[in-house]
């Protein structure tokens, strides 16, 4: 063998050694495997302990589920009056009991002002009115007399003209002289002048009469204004209500426009309520005039009042993304034991300026499925449904097991439903358009949800019915009227 073939031989020798080692390792591994298989001990089968977990559950039912919207606002009166002085005068009397917080009726006297100047002015204008009336009467009498004198003078003028005509005819026949003509002509012209003067005096009476009538109308108007000012010296309440304040007292000099009192009607108050804009565009769940509203005081007290939506503002606020609905609340008042007024019912007075929160219950509602909010985990609930039989049982009957089921929540609401659950008040309303929702009659697990695993055997205690969970559902189907996506602000 030459030196050139030696490296080739060494390479093949090295490859053979490595292949032998690999085969040896594989044979050793197979030997160890079969040795362990030969030595293994068969385990004894253990019985599976699958005792059911007791849980609380409800059977789904379709119920009326109105949309409830939250809002807030401050109370203001529907009717109020700022009473001001309408004349310049001094206060001479303030009736006893006219104080802030006292109820008053429309027409009740609040203040009395000095009337002396106004009475004198009424007397002066009344006298002037009487004088002008007398002057007009005198003109009427004078007109009648002048009319009679003008008529008599016209008769004399006619006679004189006839005499002049006869004398001229006589002169033509030579039976009268020029002196006779001049004498008769003078008499006729004198009668003509008297008639013209009387006619002019009669015609002058008409402008004088119109002047006096105009002056009389002005005086009558001034007298009526003076009488009105005289009546304004007694300041009265314009409406029924409660005095908020009385800011004038005896001896004070008032000028026109000076505010002296404020009267507030507490029997009807209004709350401009801020609600989400979506509350007006929620389809069947939208707020409408006439919807019931529950108001609550902002504080530790549990006072509530009921009202209704009176009207809705057309514009929304872009800054707060809210709309305004106006809620009217009617209150019955009675006199308090220590004076003032109090509400006739158990609730205290809802006072203007008070801040309140509110819940608007929409009047349009439909039958829909609801579940407690605590039963919804993400987008699913746990149902108790018949599943695989117990492997340790004697028979092959299926047993109840926890089964996850997808849901889609339309909106939430707060309401006591003792017919469904004795204590739950927070509910999730399921969207009727979601076809994957559970069906009426399905049993929804509402307790021990943090312990339950999918497929785990459960023993539900159905609080709103004791029928078998596997029985056919008998509850009414929910309404499937299309509804919009839930908007912010619903509760």
């Amino acid at each position: 063998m030459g030196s050139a073939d030696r490296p080739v031989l060494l390479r093949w020798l090295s490859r053979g050694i490595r292949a032998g080692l690999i085969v040896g390792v594989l044979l050793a591994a197979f030997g160890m495997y079969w040795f362990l298989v030969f030595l293994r001990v068969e385990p004894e089968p253990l019985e599976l302990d699958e005792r059911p977990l007791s849980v609380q559950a409800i059977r789904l039912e379709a119920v009326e589920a109105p949309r409830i919207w939250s809002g807030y606002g401050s109370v203001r009166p529907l009717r109020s009056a700022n009473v001001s002085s309408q004349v310049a005068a001094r206060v001479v009397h303030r009736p006893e009991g006219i104080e802030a917080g006292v109820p008053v009726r429309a027409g009740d006297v609040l203040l009395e002002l000095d009337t002396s100047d106004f009475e004198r002015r009424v007397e002066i204008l009344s006298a002037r009115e009487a004088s002008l009336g007398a002057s007009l009467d005198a003109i009427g009498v004078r007109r009648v007399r002048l009319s009679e004198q003008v008529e008599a003078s016209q008769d004399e003028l006619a006679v004189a003209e006839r005499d002049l005509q006869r004398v001229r005819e006589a002169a033509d026949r030579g039976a009268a002289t020029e002196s006779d003509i001049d004498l008769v002509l003078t008499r006729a012209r004198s009668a003509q002048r008297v008639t013209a003067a009387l006619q002019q005096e009669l015609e002058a009476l008409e402008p004088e009469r119109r002047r006096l009538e105009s002056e009389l109308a002005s005086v009558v108007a001034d007298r009526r204004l003076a009488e009105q000012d005289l009546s304004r010296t007694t300041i009265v309440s314009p409406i029924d209500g409660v005095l908020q304040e009385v800011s004038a007292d005896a001896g004070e000099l008032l000028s026109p426009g000076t505010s002296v009192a404020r009267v507030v009607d507490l029997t009807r108050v209004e709350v401009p309520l801020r609600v989400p804009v979506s509350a007006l565009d929620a389809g069947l769940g939208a707020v409408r005039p006439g919807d019931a509203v529950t108001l609550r005081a902002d504080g530790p007290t549990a006072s509530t009042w009921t009202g209704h939506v009176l009207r809705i503002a057309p514009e929304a606020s872009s800054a707060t993304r809210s709309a305004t609905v106006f809620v009217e609340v009617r209150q019955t008042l009675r006199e308090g034991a220590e004076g003032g007024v109090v509400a006739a019912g158990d609730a205290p007075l809802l006072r203007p300026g008070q801040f309140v929160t509110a819940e608007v219950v929409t009047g349009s509602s439909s039958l829909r499925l609801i579940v407690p909010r605590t039963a919804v985990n993400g987008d699913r609930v746990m149902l108790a449904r018949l599943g695989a039989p117990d492997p340790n049982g004697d028979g092959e009957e299926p047993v109840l097991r926890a089964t996850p089921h997808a849901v889609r929540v339309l909106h939430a609401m707060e309401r006591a439903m003792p017919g469904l659950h004795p204590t739950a008040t927070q509910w999730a309303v399921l969207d009727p358009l979601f076809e994957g929702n559970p069906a009426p009659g399905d049993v929804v697990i509402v307790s021990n949800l943090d312990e339950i695993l999918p497929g785990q055997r459960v023993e539900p205690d159905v609080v709103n019915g004791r029928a078998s969970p596997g029985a056919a559902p008998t509850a009414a189907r929910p309404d499937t009227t299309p509804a919009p996506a839930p908007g912010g602000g619903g509760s």
Side-chain angles (χ1 to χ4, degrees):
M1 179 179 300
S3 58
D5 296 332
R6 188 173 300 167
V8 176
L9 179 61
L10 291 176
R11 284 199 301 271
W12 280 104
L13 180 61
S14 175
R15 291 175 181 174
I17 293 172
R18 287 197 296 268
L21 289 175
I22 292 173
V23 172
V25 171
L26 290 175
L27 291 175
F30 277 110
M32 183 62 70
Y33 169 75
W34 288 110
F35 177 74
L36 293 176
V37 170
F38 178 76
L39 294 180
R40 71 177 180 179
V41 178
E42 293 290 338
E44 296 181 1
L46 297 177
E47 293 185 0
L48 179 63
D49 185 10
E50 197 180 26
R51 289 176 295 179
L53 177 64
S54 295
V55 294
Q56 194 178 70
I58 66 168
R59 187 178 302 281
L60 286 181
E61 297 178 12
V63 297
E64 290 286 341
R67 193 73 179 267
I68 301 176
W69 298 93
S70 298
Y72 63 90
S74 296
V75 185
R76 68 185 186 188
L78 268 175
R79 287 204 315 161
S80 63
N82 292 317
V83 185
S84 301
S85 174
Q86 295 177 284
V87 295
R90 191 175 301 277
V91 180
V92 296
H93 179 61
R94 174 173 164 177
E96 184 178 356
I98 298 300
E99 302 289 346
V102 174
V104 292
R105 296 284 187 183
D108 286 355
V109 177
L110 304 181
L111 295 172
E112 294 179 1
L113 308 183
D114 185 10
T115 61
S116 56
D117 292 344
F118 302 99
E119 289 174 347
R120 283 194 296 272
R121 179 167 174 77
V122 170
E123 291 173 359
I124 292 172
L125 291 173
S126 297
R128 178 62 177 160
E129 180 182 351
S131 175
L132 291 173
S135 298
L136 282 172
D137 292 340
I139 286 180
V141 173
R142 178 66 176 160
R143 183 177 183 178
V144 172
R145 296 291 180 266
L146 284 176
S147 296
E148 293 175 351
Q149 292 175 13
V150 168
E151 185 176 355
S153 177
Q154 288 175 344
D155 291 342
E156 292 177 2
L157 177 60
V159 171
E161 289 176 347
R162 287 196 298 272
D163 289 343
L164 179 60
Q165 182 65 27
R166 285 194 296 270
V167 169
R168 284 176 174 171
E169 291 176 355
D172 292 340
R173 295 192 303 271
T177 63
E178 289 293 330
S179 299
D180 295 333
I181 293 175
D182 292 340
L183 181 62
V184 175
L185 180 60
T186 300
R187 190 169 66 247
R189 287 179 176 175
S190 176
Q192 187 177 13
R193 285 195 298 272
V194 170
T195 300
L198 291 173
Q199 186 68 36
Q200 183 179 3
E201 186 176 355
L202 179 62
E203 292 174 353
L205 288 179
E206 181 61 22
E208 179 67 13
R209 182 188 66 79
R210 289 198 299 267
R211 184 188 67 80
L212 288 175
E213 286 181 346
S214 176
E215 187 175 352
L216 177 61
S218 176
V219 170
V220 170
D222 289 342
R223 189 256 306 163
R224 289 174 178 172
L225 287 175
E227 290 176 345
Q228 189 177 46
D229 288 342
L230 178 60
S231 67
R232 288 170 175 171
T233 58
T234 301
I235 300 178
V236 299
S237 173
I239 61 172
D240 294 346
V242 180
L243 285 170
Q244 171 67 21
E245 61 177 350
V246 181
S247 55
D249 211 337
E252 294 186 23
L253 183 62
L254 305 180
S255 58
T258 302
S259 178
V260 298
R262 175 173 169 80
V263 185
V264 178
D265 182 8
L266 297 179
T267 59
R268 294 178 63 199
V269 295
E270 181 181 68
V271 184
L273 204 63
R274 288 284 188 177
V275 298
V277 176
S278 55
L280 307 183
D281 303 313
L284 291 177
V287 175
R288 295 289 183 266
D291 286 347
V293 181
T294 300
L295 304 173
R296 291 182 175 83
D298 182 37
T301 61
S303 302
T304 60
W305 300 266
T306 58
H308 66 276
V309 176
L310 189 64
R311 61 189 188 279
I312 299 174
E315 293 184 344
S317 170
S318 59
T320 61
R321 297 180 182 179
S322 62
T324 304
V325 298
F326 297 90
V327 177
E328 180 186 6
V329 179
R330 295 177 180 267
Q331 305 184 103
T332 303
L333 309 181
R334 62 178 177 84
E335 293 188 7
E338 299 179 357
V341 294
V342 295
D346 296 332
L349 273 178
L350 184 58
R351 300 180 181 276
Q354 188 172 357
F355 182 83
V356 294
T357 58
E359 290 182 349
V360 183
V361 181
T362 57
S364 300
S365 62
S366 303
L367 289 174
R368 288 179 180 161
L369 297 176
I370 63 173
V371 297
R373 292 181 67 176
T374 55
V376 181
N377 183 12
D379 57 354
R380 69 174 191 172
V381 295
M382 281 289 187
L383 302 182
R385 284 185 168 174
L386 295 176
D390 186 355
N392 297 324
D394 297 334
E396 296 184 356
E397 293 184 2
V399 295
L400 291 175
R401 296 187 179 277
T403 307
H405 197 288
V407 294
R408 186 166 69 190
V409 177
L410 179 61
H411 64 85
M413 72 175 186
E414 183 177 0
R415 188 177 181 183
M417 291 281 192
L420 289 179
H421 195 282
T423 59
T425 58
Q426 300 288 335
W427 299 88
V429 181
L430 302 186
D431 188 351
L433 296 183
F434 183 57
E435 296 180 354
N437 279 333
D442 283 349
V443 175
V444 178
I445 300 172
V446 298
S447 70
N448 304 89
L449 295 173
D450 55 343
E451 305 176 24
I452 300 175
L453 298 175
Q456 184 174 352
R457 185 179 176 186
V458 292
E459 185 178 346
D461 177 19
V462 182
V463 296
N464 63 327
R466 303 296 176 183
S468 171
T474 58
R477 293 296 302 179
D479 181 28
T480 57
T481 304
S491 66

